[in-house]
Amino acid sequence: MEGIRVEGGYPISGEVTVEGAKNSALKLMAATLVAPGVTTLTNVPNISDVHVMGKVLKFLGAKIEVKGEHELEIDTSCVDRWETPYHLVAQMRASTAVLGPLLARFGRAVVAMPGGCNIGARKIDMHILGLEALGVSFEVDHGSIHASTSGGLVGSTVTLDFASVGATENLMMASVRAKGTTTIDNAAREPEIVDLANLLNEMGAKIRGAGSPVIEIEGVEELHPTNHRVVGDRIEAGTFIAMAGLCGEPVTVKGFEPAHLGLVLKKYELMGMRVVRGPHECTVYREDPIRSVDIQTLPFPGFPTDMQAQTMCLLARGDSSCVITENVFENRFMFASELQRMGASIRIEGHHAIVHGVKGFSGAEVKSPDLRGGAALVMAGLVADGITTISDIHHIDRGYEGFVEKLSSLGAHARRIELPQEDYLDI
Ligand code: UD1
């Protein structure tokens, strides 16, 4: 079992380039199913979630060639299955993103039910209700969802209860081949939605309005393969920016659009950070103490839930008290209890966290609770007194390529280490 060992007190500074967005790459890979042939994706991050999506596509019959470090050639011409097994969906819930594309291609799909996960129930009822409006029937049998259409997909208007990223994506990917026009009302507006719409349009789809709350999709007869570059990862960028804000020294983060982190950067400026925005990059540093500022997570363009833990880590060193409200996922404060073990003062009340700034963190053995929480614990270790050892780092590997290497190149004293197996007492 591997862990990350961080020696505190070595601030990061310099330049770092982020990879393509995990949350985009996974859906773009799934979308290749709608256009039989070879689609080339570039700027694909080399992370374990991408490997799992690769396994899903191969299981369905696709051939994948890795060309260079970040380029995938995905040949979906010989895909002849429409079933996604539980062992893959259980590894990564985003595997459910193949539901829409399989329906577009075959008019049927069988996807194992994802079940709960450690950041909340994460249901897929909105995916199902939306697809039902397009003429899909669902049955649940032996733990899998069986989806089929009798007369093919038919365009319709779908109003989502909540601007769900996954539901918007599945509906977009299904409706590109529906008869007539589909309107998604209260659609998610995340940059990854726009990236997916761009790929589908490059394949010949007719999608208008992606990035706004109303998306219109005019169905087409067929789609063709294409080449596409994955948008830069705003959350990886935000993680390094938060780290720079915590340590104080200047860090330039390249390879993403600062506009995709609009509200995060504004809040960080209110917290006392200096942000110099450039094309596809920004430089951040901090000279004053961190000011405590309230935060609430919301769908884009609101404050991203995927930046909540990193921001909590900053605010835990704030000059007074503040409230963080999590509106997107239930049960996403697990990171707080690990940070408390490092000396943070945080009280959880339902979906609010009341954070009182403390002067310092002390290094400890902590467990990564999830992907972003794990990264935020490494972040806390950078300024903690002594050594912090983070275990369960497979969560971090799901979404950050070369995390420790990038931190080391910025001057952090961090390395991956082999952790002793846990001792079990036989009583
Ligand atoms: C995606 C991102 C995740 C990010 C989240 C919100 C990927 C792989 N993951 O997750 O990193 O944190 O967007 O920006 O892209 N919900 C329902 N029913 C549904 C669908 C969702 O109740 O049918 C609920 C979820 O349980 C959650 C909320 O809606 O509480 C938001 O979920 P959603 O926007 O769908 O997030 P994901 O697509 O799962």
Side-chain angles (χ1 to χ4, degrees):
M1 199 170 64
E2 272 192 311
I4 296 176
R5 179 188 192 274
V6 188
E7 193 179 345
Y10 296 90
I12 60 166
S13 66
E15 261 183 36
V16 65
T17 302
V18 299
E19 313 300 329
K22 166 181 94 74
N23 288 352
S24 199
L26 297 174
K27 318 310 167 55
L28 301 179
M29 289 173 76
T32 61
L33 290 167
V34 300
V38 182
T39 286
T40 303
L41 297 177
T42 54
N43 204 29
V44 180
N46 186 359
I47 50 177
S48 65
D49 270 10
V50 162
H51 301 169
V52 177
M53 186 54 90
K55 283 185 200 164
V56 171
L57 295 181
K58 282 185 177 169
F59 184 89
L60 296 169
K63 292 189 183 119
I64 304 184
E65 270 200 54
V66 182
K67 298 265 175 174
E69 226 183 325
H70 296 115
E71 186 173 323
L72 295 183
E73 261 185 19
I74 306 176
D75 183 354
T76 56
S77 48
C78 29
V79 168
D80 56 357
R81 300 176 80 164
W82 43 82
E83 272 183 52
T84 306
Y86 181 66
H87 75 273
L88 293 175
V89 180
Q91 276 181 57
M92 187 185 69
R93 193 180 173 284
S95 315
T96 50
V98 296
L99 181 57
L102 287 174
L103 283 165
R105 172 113 173 229
F106 300 111
R108 58 198 293 188
V110 180
V111 176
M113 284 200 291
C117 99
N118 55 3
I119 57 168
R122 303 191 79 167
K123 295 177 289 197
I124 58 164
D125 55 325
M126 281 187 265
H127 303 230
I128 290 176
L129 281 171
L131 291 167
E132 274 174 349
L134 303 186
V136 181
S137 310
F138 287 92
E139 268 176 45
V140 175
D141 191 22
H142 298 290
S144 289
I145 296 166
H146 296 246
S148 59
T149 62
S150 47
L153 293 158
V154 184
S156 178
T157 295
V158 178
T159 304
L160 296 176
D161 279 0
F162 181 90
S164 154
V165 171
T168 303
E169 290 167 338
N170 254 328
L171 285 167
M172 261 192 339
M173 291 189 280
S175 57
V176 287
R177 292 278 317 277
K179 279 191 208 96
T181 302
T182 300
T183 304
I184 310 173
D185 208 357
N186 196 23
R189 290 186 264 169
E190 271 67 4
E192 293 77 26
I193 301 278
V194 177
D195 203 23
L196 177 60
N198 288 344
L199 170 88
L200 292 167
N201 282 340
E202 287 152 20
M203 289 173 159
K206 292 187 176 163
I207 303 176
R208 286 181 302 272
S212 82
V214 182
I215 303 180
E216 266 189 12
I217 305 116
E218 199 184 317
V220 295
E221 282 291 316
E222 57 175 26
L223 291 111
H224 52 80
T226 187
N227 296 342
H228 183 89
R229 181 178 167 83
V230 181
V231 68
D233 196 324
R234 64 194 167 107
I235 305 300
E236 186 191 358
T239 304
F240 285 113
I241 289 168
M243 288 175 157
L246 185 65
C247 296
E249 302 285 318
V251 174
T252 299
V253 183
K254 298 185 162 188
F256 81 108
E257 299 306 322
H260 293 169
L261 278 180
L263 189 56
V264 174
L265 296 178
K266 275 193 193 140
K267 284 281 182 184
Y268 284 6
E269 282 173 322
L270 288 175
M271 287 160 63
M273 269 188 224
R274 300 295 170 92
V275 180
V276 184
R277 295 163 180 80
H280 322 300
E281 64 174 59
C282 75
T283 300
V284 285
Y285 60 97
R286 181 178 58 80
E287 287 162 342
D288 304 319
I290 298 170
R291 281 195 292 274
S292 298
V293 165
D294 292 345
I295 300 283
Q296 57 167 320
T297 66
L298 280 171
F300 192 86
F303 196 94
T305 177
D306 289 350
M307 283 301 299
Q308 184 250 102
Q310 304 89 315
T311 308
M312 184 183 281
C313 183
L314 274 168
L315 292 168
R317 296 286 296 267
D319 62 355
S320 63
S321 303
C322 62
V323 180
I324 300 178
T325 304
E326 173 57 59
N327 292 312
V328 180
F329 288 110
E330 68 235 61
N331 196 18
R332 210 176 192 182
F333 284 140
M334 289 166 305
F335 155 77
S337 52
E338 292 300 302
L339 196 62
Q340 276 166 330
R341 301 188 53 249
M342 297 178 71
S345 171
I346 302 167
R347 200 177 76 238
I348 306 294
E349 299 273 357
H351 68 129
H352 303 290
I354 297 102
V355 183
H356 304 286
V358 294
K359 290 264 175 296
F361 297 146
S362 57
E365 285 180 24
V366 287
K367 218 179 221 182
S368 172
D370 55 37
L371 168 58
R372 307 302 169 187
L377 287 170
V378 176
M379 170 174 167
L382 295 175
V383 294
D385 182 17
I387 306 291
T388 299
T389 308
I390 300 103
S391 58
D392 280 2
I393 61 166
H394 58 276
H395 290 297
I396 299 176
D397 293 335
R398 284 185 42 217
Y400 292 94
E401 176 181 332
F403 194 48
V404 167
E405 290 79 356
K406 286 183 184 179
L407 283 173
S408 303
S409 77
L410 291 171
H413 283 207
R415 61 187 162 91
R416 290 175 82 104
I417 55 166
E418 218 32 69
L419 292 177
Q421 291 289 329
E422 281 177 30
D423 290 332
Y424 293 99
L425 288 178
D426 198 9
I427 25 178

